[in-house]
Amino acid sequence: MRALKVLVWGMGVLIVAASVTLVVMIVQRAGKAIPAAPAGPPVEMALGQPAGSRIAGIAPGAEGRVAIWVQRPDGDRVVILDTRSGRALGEIRLGE
């Protein structure tokens, strides 16, 4: 019976130690700095799409690029923008 009590106490201590370790690791990882956006003046961006167009979705890409799904009266497009310069890098026509 005494061995069982020791075993229960030992496991209780291990559970508490594991919980404390988990909390400490979560706090450390949450405290890591997030890389900041490059400094500089804000960039104005225009898609240059015809009237009646609407943005259906946006997806971030690598190296400051963004893919924008545009629904136009003549068909859907995906426009690739460079967020640093504000200009369109290319356009993919869907359904053609």
Side-chain angles (χ1 to χ4, degrees):
M1 189 67 157
R2 181 177 173 108
L4 183 60
K5 286 182 182 180
V6 171
L7 187 63
V8 169
W9 274 96
M11 285 190 220
V13 170
L14 286 175
I15 289 173
V16 170
S19 298
V20 169
T21 303
L22 181 63
V23 169
V24 168
M25 289 178 66
I26 289 172
V27 169
Q28 284 178 345
R29 291 189 182 186
K32 287 187 178 178
I34 298 172
V43 177
E44 261 188 55
M45 295 181 202
L47 293 177
Q49 301 296 312
S53 300
R54 70 181 198 91
I55 295 175
I58 299 175
E63 299 177 10
R65 294 188 178 136
V66 176
I68 302 175
W69 173 20
V70 180
Q71 290 181 330
R72 295 173 38 161
D74 62 342
D76 293 0
R77 320 270 168 133
V78 176
V79 179
I80 310 297
L81 285 180
D82 181 8
T83 58
R84 295 177 188 148
S85 67
R87 67 182 186 90
L89 300 176
E91 186 175 281
I92 301 168
R93 293 184 180 99
L94 306 176
E96 287 185 14

